[in-house]
Amino acid sequence: MASLASPALVGRDAQLRLLVSTITSPPAVTQVQGEAGIGKTSLVRAAIGPLTGGGRTVPLGHCHQIREPFPYGPVLDALRHVAAALPDRDRLSPVTGALRGYLPELAGRLPPAPSPPPMDDPRAERHHLFRAVHALLAAAGPVVLVVEDLHWADDGTRDLLRFLTDQPPDGLALVVTFRREELPVPGLPFGHAYRRAPGVRSEVISLTPLDVDGVRSLAGALLGQAEPTAAFAARLHERTAGVPFVIEEVVRSLLDDEGRLPEPAALDRMAVPVLLREAMAERLTGLSPAALGAVRAAAVLGLPAEEPLINAVSGHDPAESGLSRALQAGVLLEHQDGQYGFRHDLARQAVYDAIPGPDRRLIHRRAMAALAALDPPPLVQLAHHARRAGDFAAWQRHGGAAAEHAAALGDIPLAVELLEGLLADPKLPREARGPLALRLSRVAAVGLSHRRVVRILRHLLSDDFLSRKVRGQARLNLGVLLSNQAGAITAGRQEILAALPDLADSPCLAARGLALLAMPAWGGEPLAVHEEWMAQAEKLLVAGQDPELAAAVLANRVSLIMMIGSPDAFDLAETLPVNDPSTAVRRQVARGYSNLYDAALALGHYAAAGRFADQSRRVAEETGALYPVFLVEMSSIRLDLLTGRWDGLRERAVAAVEMTYEAPLLAVEARLALGVLALARGEWDEAGEHLEVAGVRDLDSGFLPVAVAGSSGLVELHLTRGALEPAVRAADLAVTRLRRKGVWVWGDQLVPAAVAALLRARRPAEAAGLVAEFAAGIEGRTAPSAHAGLDLARGVLAWDAGAFEEAARCYAGARVAYLAMPRPYSAARAAESEAGARFALGDRERATELIADAGERYAALGATHDAARCRRLLREIGPDRGRTATPRRGRKAGNGVLSPRESEVARLVALGRTNREIAEVLFLSQRTVDTHVARVLQKLGVRTRADVREPRPDDRPGPATPE
């Protein structure tokens, strides 16, 4: 077979230029995504190759599919190679000394290790480590840190990278590669939504298969001669799907001794996987037995390995130089740190598949023997090889030990994967399934993985071999998974209720189920039923018997009293055992804090909510409890909505909806945010679409605090559009739900909207009765938002009765309360209402001030419809009334840049609005809108409205100017 030129980077010129530009402009974060074999590594190597030795340090880290539970491993492995870039030890930050135990190769270059944190404070150790990595990278800069195959990373590595991306060192350019379809959380390579920090360049580079011309160019570059015929390139593209690595290997295997390619028809007889296997088989032809043994050993090991391990697994005498000959033939290559393996996992898999079954099992057994001799033994790899070798007893032993070790280190996804694999094997004895299923369900309850676990548990519960106690525990854990991770509240509650009879002899477990049912935010039961469930749960607890279950019940107890605004909730929250030495107990604490975060949000305690969120994240991350972190991330959308942090909020909410497509109930807070944002911008159809799916009609599964807030948005939407009957129906449905539940503190937004709808429908007695019922329901409760909502509702009643002085007083009270929370959008709405009352009283100067203030708040938030309404009111009052109340004028737009008003018009045109609809949303005349639309088309250089796209935020020159 003729030799080929080095693999070429073809069809990636634009991506290469972008990557080079990004990594040479730190601080920067670049995400390179694409399927296996698409050329991610080739692109990165082409970009960093010229940088090596040019004043930049380029450490490389790799994540592997078969991995031991070693958090931060890929990053720490990469940092071992930055020694040459470090300044003298006395110029390094003292915090970098915390890395001495992790990076022994750099120990002589690092300052002394700082005083160790208390043994019972892992969060301090974690914080020291993250700060040390940040400081080391800052000292070594400029640095291009590359972490490949992030889809296989442990959660600790993702957390560390997220820490670095939040505020990267000035000289750091971070590059990560991953397969999007294999990420644990779809669309989130860092495990959480990535938010670009100010001043940091951020790019996402997506690699797609080559087209026919690209395939032809790549083949020609490989041959080092004229490109193949167009017919051959077309057939090669069809058979390889345009994946560069497959193309390279197929071209290598098809060349004859004179370097010629066959006719295109030769490709038709093989499918793509067969093509790759045939290509690798051709490359193995002529290897000595020792070299072939080394190649097969590397294929079975699955990870780059050192020479002694490959020799031991190959079964050949090292003196035969098998590894050297495999390297000479180009089948294996040397990786960093003296390890050897394949150029790509596709090649490794092709060689592995070609090994006969009996030979494969023998090599796996040799791998087990060699790995068992290491200290400490790699449990995950031992479990993998035992399974492939057919040694079931060893697989069960090593797999169980590896799962326990992973869970203890907080690597929950790895523990779930190992236990799932054990349970999925039909050879597992029936008597072993129950205990393993319980371990799996307990571990999965603090992670994000749930789909396969739910299927496994349901399958086990369909059999009758489980004991009563095991069946009850498994059903209880299934109910927890369904209620939490899967978002199937109704199904989860049914499983918990069904589990209780089987838990009669396990009172602590029964208490756990009852405590979950006691959460009042879900289900149609009144508050009294939830409180009775909680009382039963506390009675069933046996003192000191199970600290984890006791912590779970306490967490729910604290959450319950916080949700209803009990005055002693904050004092009881202080009793959560946050410093308990048990990881399992602290995981329950993390869940409790996430519940407290939600509860405090619903009450208007936003500063406290932020503290609860920080505590939940910290405890959850140090214990590996992914689910509370996920909940806090989702609820942060609602906190930012309420507290006026709207910049980038819509994009985050859209990402959250996409991420939870399989469990839409988990995205209700994102849906609420999207609905409110659309309502504030005058996007009526979009607002209705999102608010309708914010749980407003899920009578049993909806998260009630969010559902009633969504209902209030629907009421306001219908009233704005003049649809009184739908507004009253939505108000009646939501008020009925709230009344049945009996937790009136959640009615802060609903009650004022419902009162407005009832008054407009000429039902004043019902409106007054609702306000009185609301006031009685929140009396004595610590719920700032509910009391502000009561002021609003009373203001609406007073206004309707013509008591304008009382209305102004009530609205002012609400405005002041909202500003103190802070809740700027609600404060602006209250200011508008107060302005109306002041105007009715003849105090035009104060009314003008209030409207101008509200308009500026709306404009700062991006609430374009509301801001436009205030501008219209100011025009009607006239410029000579009171103080100058015109919003600050933005800079004049020119040179094809849209003005602020034109940007608003362009956004509505892009949404498909007619000029008449745009005029209604922005409170402008249709003639003014006609003029704006013409200017938009001219400045954007497009001919029709269909070509207009929503302007990017960076294209908008400044605050809106008055019309």
Side-chain angles (χ1 to χ4, degrees):
M1 182 178 66
S3 61
L4 290 179
S6 299
L9 191 67
V10 171
R12 310 296 193 202
D13 292 347
Q15 293 92 335
L16 180 59
R17 285 195 299 271
L18 177 59
L19 181 55
V20 170
S21 171
T22 305
I23 64 178
T24 55
S25 305
V29 177
T30 308
Q31 304 173 44
V32 182
Q33 62 181 13
E35 63 181 285
I38 205 66
K40 301 183 292 296
T41 297
S42 297
L43 177 70
V44 172
R45 298 301 167 86
I48 65 177
L51 303 179
T52 305
R56 280 184 169 81
T57 304
V58 188
L60 304 177
H62 300 269
C63 308
H64 298 292
Q65 186 174 17
I66 304 174
R67 61 179 178 85
E68 299 299 322
F70 175 42
Y72 327 123
V75 175
L76 295 177
D77 282 343
L79 292 182
R80 290 186 292 130
H81 302 280
V82 302
L86 294 177
D88 293 338
R89 184 165 61 179
D90 57 359
R91 294 172 54 197
L92 284 172
S93 168
V95 74
T96 58
L99 293 171
R100 277 176 165 262
Y102 295 92
L103 301 173
E105 297 87 349
L106 302 184
R109 305 294 304 273
L110 298 175
S115 299
M119 293 299 292
D120 60 351
D121 193 4
R123 58 194 170 195
E125 181 180 357
R126 174 191 177 91
H127 183 63
H128 282 163
L129 175 65
F130 284 16
R131 286 181 55 212
V133 171
H134 189 283
L136 191 72
L137 288 169
V143 174
V144 180
L145 174 61
V146 179
V147 179
E148 295 221 61
D149 295 324
L150 193 60
H151 50 278
W152 287 330
D154 61 277
D155 295 306
T157 294
R158 289 195 180 89
D159 289 341
L160 174 54
L161 292 176
R162 187 180 58 159
F163 179 86
L164 294 175
T165 59
D166 283 346
Q167 194 60 57
D170 290 341
L172 175 64
L174 174 65
V175 180
V176 296
T177 71
F178 56 89
R179 305 175 194 170
R180 182 182 177 87
E181 67 278 5
E182 295 185 29
L183 291 170
V185 181
L188 298 180
F190 298 111
H192 304 279
Y194 166 61
R195 305 171 192 172
R196 180 179 65 85
V200 178
R201 183 169 178 180
S202 176
E203 300 289 349
V204 177
I205 300 176
S206 300
L207 298 184
T208 56
L210 299 177
D211 58 16
V212 175
D213 289 339
V215 170
R216 190 178 186 187
S217 298
L218 177 57
L222 289 166
L223 294 169
Q225 56 189 38
E227 295 178 348
T229 65
F232 185 89
R235 199 66 56 87
L236 183 60
H237 175 268
E238 179 183 346
R239 306 310 295 159
T240 62
V243 178
F245 177 77
V246 180
I247 294 167
E248 293 176 22
E249 296 302 329
V250 169
V251 169
R252 290 177 190 277
S253 67
L254 290 177
L255 289 177
D256 61 20
D257 291 338
E258 298 180 4
R260 294 176 303 188
L261 291 170
E263 292 299 316
L267 292 166
D268 291 341
R269 295 186 289 271
M270 295 182 288
V272 173
V274 177
L275 278 172
L276 186 55
R277 285 200 298 269
E278 293 291 337
M280 292 308 301
E282 177 68 22
R283 298 192 67 188
L284 299 181
T285 301
L287 287 181
S288 68
L292 182 59
V295 171
R296 288 180 169 181
V300 167
L301 285 169
L303 301 172
E306 295 179 348
E307 182 177 0
L309 181 58
I310 291 178
N311 288 334
V313 177
S314 72
H316 289 270
D317 189 335
E320 298 181 55
S321 303
L323 178 58
S324 297
R325 296 183 182 278
L327 293 169
Q328 292 170 4
V331 180
L332 299 180
L333 56 84
E334 184 173 3
H335 295 259
Q336 61 181 3
D337 300 329
Q339 295 183 321
Y340 304 90
F342 291 86
R343 187 165 69 87
H344 198 284
D345 192 63
L346 289 174
R348 186 203 65 79
Q349 188 64 48
V351 172
Y352 182 87
D353 291 342
I355 303 174
D359 293 345
R360 264 204 314 268
R361 287 190 290 275
L362 177 62
I363 301 172
H364 277 295
R365 282 195 288 271
R366 288 201 295 261
M368 287 175 58
L371 293 170
L374 300 180
D375 185 21
L379 295 173
V380 176
Q381 294 179 56
L382 284 169
H384 167 78
H385 292 295
R387 182 179 187 180
R388 296 300 181 90
D391 188 341
F392 186 80
W395 176 35
Q396 190 173 345
R397 184 173 66 256
H398 293 311
E404 290 288 346
H405 185 52
L409 291 179
D411 198 339
I412 301 301
L414 178 57
V416 169
E417 179 185 338
L418 290 164
L419 292 171
E420 281 180 343
L422 285 168
L423 282 165
D425 194 297
K427 297 178 182 177
L428 182 69
R430 291 174 60 134
E431 62 272 13
R433 291 184 177 276
L436 278 177
L438 290 180
R439 287 168 63 187
L440 172 63
S441 61
R442 284 196 296 266
V443 170
V446 296
L448 291 177
S449 304
H450 67 270
R451 286 178 290 275
R452 287 185 59 193
V453 179
V454 167
R455 287 197 298 270
I456 291 171
L457 290 177
R458 280 182 164 158
H459 176 71
L460 289 171
L461 289 167
S462 66
D463 291 337
D464 58 2
F465 69 89
L466 295 177
S467 69
R468 181 185 180 191
K469 180 177 180 179
V470 170
R471 184 172 64 247
Q473 291 183 55
R475 197 178 294 280
L476 172 62
N477 291 336
L478 173 60
V480 172
L481 278 176
L482 289 171
S483 299
N484 294 338
Q485 283 87 331
I489 309 298
T490 301
R493 288 162 60 86
Q494 289 172 350
E495 293 291 350
I496 293 170
L497 287 168
L500 293 177
D502 288 332
L503 296 174
D505 297 328
S506 303
C508 287
L509 289 173
R512 173 75 175 96
L514 287 166
L516 194 149
L517 293 172
M519 293 294 93
W522 295 274
E525 301 85 1
L527 175 60
V529 173
H530 294 286
E531 290 177 325
E532 175 59 27
W533 277 331
M534 181 55 70
Q536 292 179 30
E538 292 181 305
K539 289 179 183 177
L540 288 173
L541 279 179
V542 179
Q545 181 172 337
D546 192 324
E548 179 186 0
L549 291 175
V553 173
L554 175 61
N556 282 25
R557 170 65 177 161
V558 175
S559 302
L560 168 61
I561 67 169
M562 181 68 76
M563 285 179 178
I564 63 177
S566 176
D568 57 349
F570 286 97
D571 289 338
L572 191 57
E574 295 294 326
T575 66
L576 288 174
V578 65
N579 294 317
D580 194 279
S582 167
T583 297
V585 168
R586 294 203 311 280
R587 285 174 180 162
Q588 296 299 335
V589 172
R591 183 183 58 81
Y593 279 135
S594 72
N595 289 344
L596 289 172
Y597 177 35
D598 262 332
L601 276 181
L603 301 177
H605 294 299
Y606 303 135
R611 291 193 297 271
F612 288 138
D614 291 341
Q615 289 170 308
S616 181
R617 285 193 192 97
R618 186 182 67 244
V619 179
E621 289 173 353
E622 72 187 29
T623 60
L626 299 183
Y627 185 60
V629 178
F630 171 79
L631 289 181
V632 168
E633 190 75 26
M634 298 299 287
S635 294
S636 68
I637 293 174
R638 183 158 54 116
L639 177 62
D640 289 350
L641 173 72
L642 292 168
T643 55
R645 295 191 285 266
W646 287 14
D647 186 28
L649 184 59
R650 181 178 180 276
E651 292 73 19
R652 286 171 52 206
V654 169
V657 170
E658 293 174 349
M659 183 175 63
T660 56
Y661 68 96
E662 292 185 334
L665 287 177
L666 296 178
V668 291
E669 291 173 301
R671 290 289 193 178
L672 173 65
L674 289 170
V676 171
L677 293 174
L679 195 59
R681 296 170 68 171
E683 299 164 3
W684 311 136
D685 293 340
E686 290 78 6
E689 173 189 342
H690 291 299
L691 292 172
E692 283 284 357
V693 291
V696 298
R697 305 196 188 283
D698 296 319
L699 301 185
D700 292 319
S701 292
F703 183 57
L704 194 53
V706 171
V708 294
S711 294
S712 70
L714 279 177
V715 172
E716 181 179 337
L717 173 62
H718 292 316
L719 291 178
T720 301
R721 304 182 85 169
L724 180 58
E725 187 175 340
V728 173
R729 280 201 308 271
D732 284 342
L733 176 63
V735 168
T736 299
R737 292 180 67 183
L738 194 59
R739 181 178 288 125
R740 180 176 62 178
K741 182 63 66 175
V743 186
W744 284 99
V745 291
W746 299 337
D748 62 312
Q749 298 175 66
L750 173 63
V751 172
V755 168
L758 290 171
L759 290 174
R760 197 172 297 187
R762 300 186 178 182
R763 293 161 57 180
E766 292 180 55
L770 176 58
V771 173
E773 191 176 8
F774 182 41
I778 67 173
E779 185 177 0
R781 301 294 183 183
T782 57
S785 58
H787 290 286
L790 178 60
D791 280 339
L792 277 183
R794 285 172 169 166
V796 176
L797 280 180
W799 170 269
D800 185 70
F804 302 123
E805 187 71 43
E806 174 67 9
R809 185 189 66 79
C810 291
Y811 288 138
R815 174 177 55 81
V816 171
Y818 285 134
L819 288 173
M821 289 181 196
R823 197 155 133 184
Y825 184 71
S826 296
R829 297 297 299 270
E832 265 196 280
S833 298
E834 183 186 353
R838 297 293 181 193
F839 195 83
L841 292 168
D843 189 354
R844 295 195 173 198
E845 181 176 355
R846 179 57 178 152
T848 300
E849 292 174 349
L850 289 166
I851 294 171
D853 179 72
E856 291 184 1
R857 292 186 188 279
Y858 289 141
L861 290 169
T864 51
H865 171 67
D866 297 305
R869 184 176 60 248
C870 288
R871 290 194 296 270
R872 183 199 63 178
L873 291 172
L874 291 172
R875 291 196 301 270
E876 292 175 352
I877 293 173
D880 57 339
R881 301 290 186 186
R883 71 172 177 86
T884 302
T886 303
R888 293 183 296 274
R889 181 175 296 273
R891 70 178 185 269
K892 185 175 181 180
N895 299 324
V897 178
L898 299 180
S899 71
R901 181 67 64 250
E902 290 163 354
S903 292
E904 294 175 358
V905 171
R907 178 179 58 80
L908 293 169
V909 169
L911 290 172
R913 301 293 183 267
T914 65
N915 285 8
R916 178 181 176 183
E917 291 170 333
I918 295 172
E920 292 175 355
V921 170
L922 298 180
F923 298 95
L924 301 173
S925 70
Q926 187 164 333
R927 176 173 296 180
T928 299
V929 173
D930 292 342
T931 301
H932 282 315
V933 171
R935 289 176 179 168
V936 166
L937 297 178
Q938 179 184 18
K939 287 187 176 182
L940 295 182
V942 297
R943 300 181 60 183
T944 67
R945 302 169 69 95
D947 296 323
V948 176
R949 297 293 180 264
E950 182 174 354
R952 297 175 301 172
D954 293 344
D955 296 336
R956 301 168 190 167
T961 57
E963 298 296 336

